Structures are given as structure tokens and as C-alpha cells.
Amino acid sequence: MQNTPILPPANLGILGGGQLGRMFTVAAKTMGYRVTVLDPDPNAPAAEFANRHLCAPFDDQAALDELAECAAVTTEFENVNADAMRFLARHTRVSPSGDCVAVAQNRIQEKAWIRKAGLQTAPYQAVCKPEDISDASAEFLPGILKTATLGYDGKGQIRVKTLAELQTAFAEHGGVDCVLEKMVDLRGEISVVVCRLNSENVQTFDPAENIHENGILAYSIVPARLSADVQQQAREMARRLADELDYVGVLAVEMFVVGDTHELVVNEIAPRPHNSGHHTIDACAASQFQQQVRIMCGLPPADTRLLSACCMANILGDVWGGDGSEPNWLPLQSDPHSHLHLYGKKAARKGRKMGHFVTLAQDVDTALQNAQRLHTVLKK
Ligand code: ATP
Ligand code: MG
């Protein structure tokens, strides 16, 4: 049963109906599948396109019973209830597996897995109780104290320079499990999206170079401005990690580019399509969402080839007017080389991801410049 390909018009289920669920739904519907989305938000971005929106909490048994009727189920986020995943796995095909999702939920486990795969992380120490902080912790200073679970967009992180600051930061986090990570000599950040059905069927997208503003991803450019060697190494590392986890699905691997030698260090993984892979819709032979559909259906990943240099720019709620008025869409919509994606979210809040656009160009520097220019004029 596990190996029989699932074909249209089968019904596919997804936990979570945010923008990732929305782009998954569009991809699946385009291929002729039906889609059921579970999300407690009545305005969930994916609901507009889904055949069925189960508007209920993620642990609602009646909703999970319905989702279990789907031919296969996937997820758009990692903080999904492990019991819900286990329940679904008893009734239908679930990818990625609950075990793989659990690894990504906890930075302590995640780093242990990365090292087990023979890959580097920043030097780190788990800090779960006050006694874990000792003179030996000085080795990881200056560093960042990150909560082990539930961090995103730089939330749940405190920078510390001394042991005293470390103690205060641990107390500030409320004594929850943390990871103390040594600051590395960051020269850049990249991510690789790997698509894996099994050991014979694996594809990686070209690494994306990520540019953050205020702790939130602002631009991703592809190809990354790194040597071909380093890029190849990044793809191999992502693949090795997916193999080590016997991963089934789409996995994003974030890496730091460290020092003059551009050594690659794995930061974290996301068991799903990733913000830095949104360009794949407009600039690659297949998108990361098409890959998610294919793999959950037991089909091999499609060609990941990059068809054009590009820049993805996030559109945050910040560019809406204080009175809720729309941004200045005309320049962007008039540009023949840019593609707008809006997520249909009702309220534009500061820092909220409302959409993105992808600008294509002959080379990546031009793509970045054009995207920055178009982004600047969004705000009236
Ligand atoms: P996101 O949701 O954007 O992935 P996050 O909350 O999961 O963010 P991290 O990815 O761990 O947090 O870190 C956020 C940013 O902080 C990184 O993108 C990087 O710029 C910086 N950073 C994190 N760890 C280190 C480190 N060890 N050395 C230097 N810079 C770091
Ligand atoms: Mg991160």
C-alpha cells in the first residue's frame, strides 16, 4: 500500500492552512487532487482554495477522523501535535513522519541529529537547569541563548557575553530548556530545500542566499553568491541529513557560511517547504509545493532545475497604510519580470508575512537590485 502511487482526483490532507498550506493547496488542485485543510482560523489562507476546510483545533478528534479519510496527509508547520501525527499515521499515509517532525521541534534533538549525520553545527551546550551553567560554559561565549522549542523569526533568543548575562537570560526564558550557541563568524546564510521519496529518489534545489532584516527573512537570491564547490557541498550536506533521517517529503536545511574559508555549519531544519524556497514556483522547473504533493503521493520528485536567476522578496504588513490602505501595487504589477503572490490575510500587522514577490533577471545582482527598488516603492 505504501508504495502504490496516489493519483488524481484523490483527496489530500494538510495540517495547517497558512501561506505554506495555501501554496501547497494551489499546487495539488492544479494537478487535479482534492484538498482538505485543518486549521482553526476561519480566515486561514489555504481555505480559499481547499475543497474542504475543517475549522477546528489541531487536536480535535472529529476533525482528525475526517483528515484520516484522506489518501495521504502532510503538514505545513513543525509545531504540530505528535499525538495527532501518530493517530493519523495509524489510518493513512503521513509524510514527513511524526518522528522527523519531532526532531525539528526541539533544537537540542535537532543539533544532536545534525552531528550524528556527520555535519557541523555551531559549538553549543544544552542548558536545561541552572546547574548546567558553569565555568565551562565560557567556551560558548559570546553566544546566543535560544529556547529549545517554539522559536521563529528570531523570537526566543537572547545574546549573552558573560556568565552573569547567561544566568540572567536563562531566568528570563523562564527556566525552560535552552541551547547556548557560540556566535560564529557569519559571512552569509543559505538554505537548501531537499525533496526525498527514498534513497533512490532525491533532488535538491540550488542553495538560496538569505538576507534578513530585523531578524526576519527579507530577500532570498538564487544562485547564491558562493563558489560552485561550496554550493555543491551544501546540496550534499542537505541530502546527507535527509538520508540520515530516512526523510520522506520536502525538508529545508538552513546553513551558516562561516569565516574566510566559507565553511558550512547547519543552523536548523524545517520539515516542510520553506520561505526561502518560494522562488521555486516562478523560477524552477518544479516548485517546492509540487514536490510536496508528489512525494506524499509516493511519486518521485520532479526536476529542480533553476530556469532563471531570481530574487524573492517578502512583503510584510509594514507596507500597508496605518489606516489599512493597500500598498502601492502598480509599479510591481507593471513590471514584466516580477510575480506577485498574496496570501489573502485579512489584517496587515507589522512583521506579519502578507505575501512575497519574485523578480527574474539575467543575473542575481540585477534581480536583487530590481527587487529592492520595487519593494521600496510599495510603501506609499
Ligand atoms: P527563523 O524563524 O528566521 O529561522 P529562528 O528564530 O529559528 O529564526 P535562528 O535561525 O536560530 O532563529 O537564528 C536567527 C538569526 O540569528 C540567524 O538567521 C542568524 O542571523 C543569527 N544567528 C543565530 N545563531 C547564530 C550564531 N550561532 N552565530 C551567529 N549568528 C547567529
Ligand atoms: Mg532560523
Side-chain angles (χ1 to χ4, degrees), residues 163-186:
L163 288 173
E165 281 180 16
L166 174 57
Q167 270 152 355
T168 312
F170 184 60
E172 237 175 276
H173 278 326
V176 298
D177 289 359
C178 289
V179 168
L180 171 63
E181 231 181 276
K182 192 178 170 73
M183 290 295 288
V184 297
D185 177 14
L186 209 60

Side-chain angles (χ1 to χ4, degrees), residues 263-318:
E263 191 189 338
L264 295 177
V265 155
V266 179
N267 174 28
E268 59 179 354
I269 60 176
R272 50 170 173 79
H274 194 257
N275 193 169
S276 66
H278 290 353
H279 68 280
T280 58
I281 297 177
D282 303 296
C284 291
S287 77
Q288 59 175 350
F289 303 101
Q290 289 172 316
Q291 307 282 29
Q292 186 178 20
V293 174
R294 295 177 63 94
I295 295 170
M296 77 187 287
C297 291
L299 299 163
D303 184 7
T304 50
R305 198 156 31 100
L306 183 71
L307 304 176
S308 168
C310 66
C311 175
M312 187 284 311
N314 270 333
I315 302 174
L316 303 183
D318 309 48

Side-chain angles (χ1 to χ4, degrees), residues 33 67 101 177 179 182 354 371:
Y33 291 96
L67 211 55
V101 173
D177 289 359
V179 168
K182 192 178 170 73
M354 302 295 289

